[in-house]
Amino acid sequence: MINEQIKERIISIVGTENFDDSKVGRLTYSYDATPNFQALPDGVVSPRNTEEVAELVKVCNKHHIPVVPRGAGSNLCGGTCPTEGGLVFLFKHMNEILEIDEENLTATVQPGVITLDLINAVEAKGLFFPPDPGSMKTSTIGGNINENSGGLRGLKYGVTRDYVIALEIVLANGSIIRTGGKLAKDVAGYDFTRLYVGSEGTLGIVTEATLKLVPIPETKKTMLALYEDLEAAATTVSKIIANKIIPATLEFLDQATLKVVEDYAKIGLPTDAKAVLLIEQDGAPEVVERDIKKIADLCTEENAVSVQIAKTKAEAEALTTARRAALSALARLKPTTILEDATVPRSQVANMVKAINEIAEKYQLNICTFGHAGDGNLHPTVPTDARNKEEMERVEKAFEEIFEKAIELGGTITGEHGVGIMKAPYLELKLGQEGIAAMKAVKTALDPNNIMNPGKIFAKDSRKRVVIGQ
Amino acid sequence: MINEQIKERIISIVGTENFDDSKVGRLTYSYDATPNFQALPDGVVSPRNTEEVAELVKVCNKHHIPVVPRGAGSNLCGGTCPTEGGLVFLFKHMNEILEIDEENLTATVQPGVITLDLINAVEAKGLFFPPDPGSMKTSTIGGNINENSGGLRGLKYGVTRDYVIALEIVLANGSIIRTGGKLAKDVAGYDFTRLYVGSEGTLGIVTEATLKLVPIPETKKTMLALYEDLEAAATTVSKIIANKIIPATLEFLDQATLKVVEDYAKIGLPTDAKAVLLIEQDGAPEVVERDIKKIADLCTEENAVSVQIAKTKAEAEALTTARRAALSALARLKPTTILEDATVPRSQVANMVKAINEIAEKYQLNICTFGHAGDGNLHPTVPTDARNKEEMERVEKAFEEIFEKAIELGGTITGEHGVGIMKAPYLELKLGQEGIAAMKAVKTALDPNNIMNPGKIFAKDSRKRVVIGQ
């Protein structure tokens, strides 16, 4: 708890205007984009620089006050819900792109920079920052780093982790360390850069990052292929890869999602198709031309009922809307949208989608599935209502079976959303007790007082999705 | 120490034929490719499978016996020298390529697989495993993973870390954990896969790895550009990148190296050139053609005195020999070859080479510099004689200054060779006391008895390069 003395100390660090423990302020940051998790923090603080972050963390460490770093709160694992109270850290004053270094192909940023702002800023210089999470219009780079965010370009370009080459980190004891550098190669000690990417704020606070950039692809082409059966769509995905083509984007929507998207976006999608593949290739014009032609042939060979290659940028955007709008469209249906990201090896996508459909039927649920077919990262989504306890129980059971199936197929419980509090009870399925014990040992070593985003990643008990606080 | 009882227990696990504590056996594994480090292990053991590794580690953990996992011993940081005695683990029975999965583009291997054997096996299937350390003809994948090996293709393709997606690891307590999977995306818990890559055997033993493969580039072109001054070569490197071209290889040799290589390999290199760039591009034929032409133009613009594009595969191989032969050629000169890998941001390569030359003059040493200009990873090399104590002291001092300069320029003390025992005393230059303390906390958490390759990464005292044992 934050008593008057601690409050005074915090204000002496950041100033009155950057500390808020009003009811409204606390309520505002009591939840994130994840449905069904809510808990009040004791206060909200907005440090202006790394030194202030370090001073604040020292205070929190001394008094065992939970520290919850928060970007835009757009994560989907309850990762920024202050489930144990404490101080929510905002980065609204630490939101500068500090440098775009065209000689070394790097960008150095503060954690509060909006992802799309960075993407636009580097593209203006002919450079490319590939990670493009669905939330990129609002998400921050700091949040992306904490969650190791993915996106639609992951198949060809990898995820956030693959583009973080240096970090400034405030440790739980308040010391400030720097990892990596503007270096393609650095093996001086353990790879703390990657250990911290995806650590969900549980090991320290990232206060600055240097990101690797690549030259922007010269051109891009977009196409949509419709199928009368799921199997054929999945076989097409495998065939594309078997033909040694790695598309920039290789996305999948099932019929249930397709119907919802068409109803929402009215882009003329044929809702009688059983599956849709959205495919993009980028690179040198000759290569893109050749790849797209080859991909179109493969789709036709696998009995796609329609293959449409966008002729203009506007047309391409209309096609990608089909995929980008999926979550918004689904979120309109019911008060609560539960979206998961069970992930399997690419070769198991068809088996996983079939299993999801069987589980949906078993539990009498409407599960819409879309996602990144190219990297086996699926988003089975249930439009539901958190107030309907009976249905919520079925949702829980269904997702538990989905996670178990993903693991059985060589997959994981989360491909890009993170564990947070939401998937903590299922982590053992993936890592086993010994894997969790090893990770907990690292957590304890770097945060002995368990102040850094406590309650995340590691489950306290077998409790599943529940409403906390309110 | 290994007493009779422990010896019996070890033999009961692996069989008599797989344990050797003879003087000859111990001498054979008392050193690695790093000059000037030698220490006798208490024994050498060759487990046949993961379970045997786990059982052996349990014995070692119980009796606090150092565990030194060793591939080919080709590392250059003293990483596999058993400086505190104990058991050297060999992987000669665990050297199978278990699977090449063409649908998921992965290879699953045991640690003892020779790097080049893997590269050849996947290339036979039209796939590509890019990391190509200089020692790839003898080095093992297990060793590459422990050291996070780089190579000549790092600029475009990254290093070993970028291709490891799943590991089976025996922890210091003998438990067996699995990280990752055949998955492009996996954020279930901390990124232990990358934490273990490059951890130099100090956190556990890798007993199996799944590696990411990519389609093999359709074609490749090789060229050599000669310069009358170093500056012009460095400017060319920057200009190539500024033109949004990322070559597959962008290597540099200074005049001193050039002369030695020509004397050794007799490939007709003009030894009056002050600097040489070896450049390769791979990919689709149209793109390679265009890039190589553009690069040739840039070389000419920057006053290269000669630009030679290989017309045949044989010609290309002759050109790459100039670079690949550098270490062998240098090693002929004197009894001891000290090769380092200070690394700087690409934009600082010219400054770093100039500084190295000044330091060489200051300490009256012959330092030959070559390396990966594209990623700022340089290999300043001193042909010397370990028996010449006075000269060795100057070598020590020179390298300390080189490391300090690299850090000053935003670089690191080691780009791809690892810290081991050799660079442990300099690690603080890069990480600071607080960075080292954090890494040590992780080490202690995962290996409380400090049995896993003890004495590596973390310096015991300020002792620099010394001969241990013998």
Side-chain angles (χ1 to χ4, degrees):
Chain A
M1 287 300 297
I2 297 176
N3 61 29
E4 275 309 306
Q5 201 188 348
I6 296 171
K7 181 173 165 175
E8 265 172 42
R9 176 74 189 108
I10 292 169
I11 288 171
S12 78
I13 297 167
V14 295
T16 324
E17 68 281 15
N18 290 314
F19 176 74
D20 186 358
D21 61 354
S22 69
K23 189 73 196 271
V24 169
R26 291 163 62 217
L27 258 177
T28 307
Y29 297 102
S30 64
Y31 61 94
D32 58 26
T34 322
N36 241 8
F37 291 99
Q38 190 172 28
L40 283 176
D42 298 311
V44 182
V45 70
S46 303
R48 290 164 294 194
N49 53 52
T50 302
E51 290 65 36
E52 288 187 2
V53 173
E55 286 311 306
L56 291 167
V57 169
K58 279 179 197 167
V59 172
C60 292
N61 198 34
K62 186 175 168 189
H63 300 286
H64 294 208
I65 296 164
V67 168
V68 183
R70 179 186 170 110
S74 52
N75 76 86
L76 294 166
C77 63
T80 51
C81 178
T83 47
E84 304 192 7
L87 265 187
V88 169
F89 280 54
L90 303 182
F91 296 92
K92 60 185 183 187
H93 300 308
M94 296 173 71
N95 62 352
E96 294 282 314
I97 298 174
L98 300 172
E99 183 197 41
I100 296 173
D101 179 340
E102 294 180 74
E103 208 168 353
N104 291 305
L105 300 192
T106 60
T108 299
V109 300
Q110 291 185 309
V113 171
I114 306 267
T115 313
L116 191 59
D117 289 349
L118 174 73
I119 290 175
N120 289 336
V122 304
E123 291 195 357
K125 292 179 186 288
L127 295 170
F128 190 42
F129 179 70
D132 61 340
S135 54
M136 65 183 176
K137 284 182 191 169
T138 55
S139 72
T140 67
I141 295 293
N144 296 166
I145 290 171
N146 277 341
E147 299 296 330
N148 188 14
S149 301
L152 271 62
R153 301 192 280 231
L155 171 61
K156 183 172 182 176
Y157 290 101
V159 294
T160 301
R161 177 190 60 225
D162 302 307
Y163 295 87
V164 181
I165 56 173
L167 292 174
E168 181 187 72
I169 303 163
V170 173
L171 299 178
N173 62 9
S175 63
I176 301 165
I177 66 167
R178 284 189 166 267
T179 71
K182 287 182 182 175
L183 302 165
K185 290 173 171 173
D186 178 18
V187 291
Y190 302 141
D191 191 348
F192 263 36
T193 307
R194 274 90 194 173
L195 177 63
Y196 273 83
V197 175
S199 64
E200 305 189 10
T202 64
L203 300 178
I205 297 186
V206 170
T207 48
E208 193 185 297
T210 298
L211 308 168
K212 172 184 153 177
L213 306 174
V214 292
I216 198 162
E218 288 174 73
T219 186
K220 185 165 81 171
K221 283 218 169 220
T222 305
M223 60 185 282
L224 206 65
L226 307 177
Y227 292 84
E228 270 175 356
D229 74 296
L230 185 70
E231 202 78 39
T235 310
T236 304
V237 170
S238 293
K239 283 235 173 147
I240 293 169
I241 306 292
N243 274 271
K244 316 280 191 266
I245 299 172
I246 308 288
T249 295
L250 186 37
E251 298 286 311
F252 161 86
L253 289 87
D254 72 358
Q255 189 174 26
T257 312
L258 196 62
K259 283 181 176 166
V260 176
V261 169
E262 179 54 25
D263 189 46
Y264 170 73
K266 314 262 188 254
I267 39 183
L269 295 167
T271 51
D272 51 346
K274 290 278 189 301
V276 170
L277 291 180
L278 169 74
I279 305 164
E280 293 193 302
Q281 182 57 306
D282 62 11
E286 307 91 324
V287 178
V288 170
E289 197 65 47
R290 202 171 53 193
D291 282 357
I292 286 287
K293 193 183 167 317
K294 181 74 193 167
I295 293 170
D297 289 349
L298 291 170
C299 292
T300 308
E301 270 173 39
E302 289 307 314
N303 301 317
V305 289
S306 146
V307 178
Q308 186 188 351
I309 302 172
K311 288 189 191 66
T312 62
K313 209 179 164 189
E315 238 182 276
E317 268 165 25
L319 297 184
T320 54
T321 299
R323 168 64 184 86
R324 289 250 175 227
L327 178 53
S328 311
L330 288 162
R332 286 197 326 158
L333 294 185
K334 294 264 190 95
T336 311
T337 310
I338 310 278
L339 180 145
E340 277 299 348
D341 77 327
T343 301
V344 291
R346 185 188 303 127
S347 60
Q348 299 291 352
V349 166
N351 288 334
M352 190 66 216
V353 176
K354 267 186 283 177
I356 291 169
N357 291 341
E358 282 161 24
I359 292 165
E361 200 164 322
K362 177 175 169 187
Y363 289 103
Q364 293 290 302
L365 292 168
N366 177 26
I367 304 187
C368 303
T369 300
F370 61 97
H372 318 292
D375 39 41
N377 182 200
L378 297 172
H379 293 311
T381 303
V382 182
T384 180
D385 186 341
R387 292 162 300 188
N388 182 342
K389 289 233 159 98
E390 183 275 326
E391 181 164 293
M392 283 301 282
E393 262 175 42
R394 281 185 282 128
V395 172
E396 277 311 323
K397 283 183 187 154
F399 274 112
E400 186 154 359
E401 281 194 29
I402 287 171
F403 293 143
E404 280 164 3
K405 187 70 189 180
I407 299 292
E408 185 193 316
L409 296 173
T412 184
I413 60 168
T414 172
E416 60 182 7
H417 291 172
V419 176
I421 184 140
M422 190 158 144
K423 266 159 288 185
Y426 307 104
L427 190 62
E428 199 179 314
L429 285 176
K430 173 75 177 89
L431 299 177
Q433 282 186 4
E434 283 148 339
I436 289 184
M439 289 189 186
K440 260 193 186 163
V442 168
K443 161 75 173 168
T444 305
L446 292 172
D447 178 21
N449 295 327
N450 193 25
I451 62 160
M452 301 305 312
N453 209 3
K456 308 300 156 57
I457 299 183
F458 305 106
K460 283 194 155 169
D461 48 43
S462 64
R463 211 166 13 92
K464 301 293 162 63
R465 190 187 307 266
V466 285
V467 183
I468 295 164
Q470 258 241 347
Chain B
M1 287 297 298
I2 298 176
N3 61 27
E4 276 309 305
Q5 203 189 345
I6 296 171
K7 182 173 164 175
E8 266 173 42
R9 175 75 189 109
I10 292 170
I11 288 172
S12 79
I13 296 167
V14 295
T16 324
E17 68 282 14
N18 291 313
F19 175 74
D20 185 358
D21 61 355
S22 69
K23 188 75 197 266
V24 170
R26 291 162 62 215
L27 260 176
T28 307
Y29 297 103
S30 64
Y31 62 94
D32 58 26
T34 322
N36 242 7
F37 290 100
Q38 188 171 29
L40 283 176
D42 297 311
V44 181
V45 70
S46 304
R48 290 164 295 194
N49 53 53
T50 301
E51 289 64 36
E52 288 187 2
V53 173
E55 285 309 306
L56 290 167
V57 169
K58 279 180 196 166
V59 173
C60 292
N61 198 35
K62 186 174 169 190
H63 300 287
H64 293 209
I65 297 164
V67 169
V68 183
R70 179 186 170 110
S74 52
N75 77 87
L76 295 166
C77 64
T80 50
C81 177
T83 48
E84 305 192 8
L87 264 187
V88 169
F89 280 54
L90 303 181
F91 296 91
K92 61 184 182 188
H93 300 308
M94 296 173 71
N95 63 350
E96 295 283 313
I97 298 175
L98 300 172
E99 183 197 41
I100 295 173
D101 179 339
E102 294 180 73
E103 208 169 352
N104 291 305
L105 300 191
T106 61
T108 299
V109 301
Q110 291 185 308
V113 171
I114 306 271
T115 313
L116 190 59
D117 290 350
L118 175 73
I119 289 175
N120 289 335
V122 304
E123 291 195 359
K125 292 179 185 290
L127 296 170
F128 190 42
F129 179 70
D132 61 341
S135 55
M136 65 183 175
K137 283 183 190 167
T138 55
S139 72
T140 66
I141 295 293
N144 296 166
I145 291 171
N146 276 341
E147 300 295 331
N148 188 14
S149 303
L152 271 62
R153 302 192 281 231
L155 171 61
K156 184 171 182 176
Y157 291 102
V159 293
T160 301
R161 178 190 58 224
D162 302 305
Y163 294 87
V164 181
I165 57 173
L167 291 175
E168 180 186 73
I169 303 163
V170 173
L171 299 177
N173 62 9
S175 63
I176 302 165
I177 66 167
R178 284 188 166 268
T179 71
K182 287 182 182 176
L183 302 166
K185 291 172 170 173
D186 178 18
V187 291
Y190 301 141
D191 191 348
F192 262 37
T193 307
R194 274 90 193 172
L195 176 64
Y196 273 83
V197 175
S199 66
E200 306 189 9
T202 64
L203 300 178
I205 298 186
V206 170
T207 48
E208 193 185 296
T210 298
L211 308 168
K212 172 184 153 178
L213 306 174
V214 293
I216 197 162
E218 288 174 71
T219 186
K220 185 166 82 171
K221 283 218 170 218
T222 305
M223 61 184 282
L224 207 64
L226 307 177
Y227 292 85
E228 269 175 359
D229 75 296
L230 185 69
E231 204 77 40
T235 310
T236 305
V237 170
S238 292
K239 284 235 170 147
I240 292 168
I241 306 292
N243 274 273
K244 316 281 190 264
I245 299 172
I246 309 289
T249 295
L250 186 38
E251 298 286 311
F252 162 86
L253 289 87
D254 71 358
Q255 189 174 26
T257 312
L258 197 61
K259 282 181 177 168
V260 176
V261 169
E262 179 54 25
D263 189 46
Y264 170 74
K266 313 262 189 253
I267 39 183
L269 295 167
T271 51
D272 52 345
K274 288 280 188 300
V276 169
L277 291 181
L278 169 73
I279 305 164
E280 293 193 302
Q281 183 57 304
D282 62 11
E286 308 90 326
V287 178
V288 170
E289 198 65 47
R290 203 170 53 193
D291 283 357
I292 286 287
K293 195 185 165 315
K294 180 75 194 166
I295 293 171
D297 289 350
L298 291 169
C299 293
T300 308
E301 270 172 40
E302 289 307 314
N303 301 316
V305 288
S306 147
V307 177
Q308 185 187 353
I309 302 172
K311 288 189 191 66
T312 62
K313 209 178 163 190
E315 238 182 274
E317 268 163 25
L319 298 184
T320 53
T321 299
R323 168 64 184 86
R324 289 250 175 225
L327 178 53
S328 311
L330 288 163
R332 286 197 326 158
L333 294 184
K334 294 264 190 96
T336 311
T337 310
I338 309 279
L339 180 146
E340 277 299 349
D341 76 328
T343 301
V344 291
R346 185 187 303 126
S347 60
Q348 300 290 353
V349 166
N351 288 335
M352 190 66 216
V353 175
K354 266 187 283 177
I356 290 169
N357 291 341
E358 282 161 24
I359 292 165
E361 201 165 322
K362 176 175 170 188
Y363 291 103
Q364 292 291 299
L365 292 167
N366 176 27
I367 305 188
C368 303
T369 300
F370 62 96
H372 319 291
D375 41 41
N377 182 200
L378 297 172
H379 294 310
T381 303
V382 183
T384 180
D385 185 340
R387 291 161 302 188
N388 183 340
K389 288 230 158 101
E390 184 276 325
E391 181 165 294
M392 283 302 281
E393 261 175 42
R394 282 185 280 127
V395 171
E396 278 310 323
K397 283 183 186 154
F399 274 112
E400 185 153 358
E401 281 195 28
I402 287 172
F403 293 143
E404 279 164 5
K405 187 70 188 179
I407 298 291
E408 186 193 313
L409 295 174
T412 184
I413 60 167
T414 173
E416 59 182 8
H417 291 172
V419 178
I421 184 137
M422 190 159 143
K423 267 158 288 184
Y426 307 104
L427 190 62
E428 199 179 312
L429 285 177
K430 172 75 177 90
L431 299 177
Q433 282 185 4
E434 282 150 340
I436 289 185
M439 289 189 187
K440 259 193 187 163
V442 168
K443 161 75 174 169
T444 305
L446 292 172
D447 178 21
N449 295 327
N450 192 28
I451 60 160
M452 301 305 312
N453 210 3
K456 308 300 157 56
I457 298 183
F458 305 106
K460 282 194 155 169
D461 48 44
S462 64
R463 210 167 13 91
K464 301 291 162 65
R465 190 189 306 268
V466 286
V467 183
I468 295 163
Q470 253 243 340

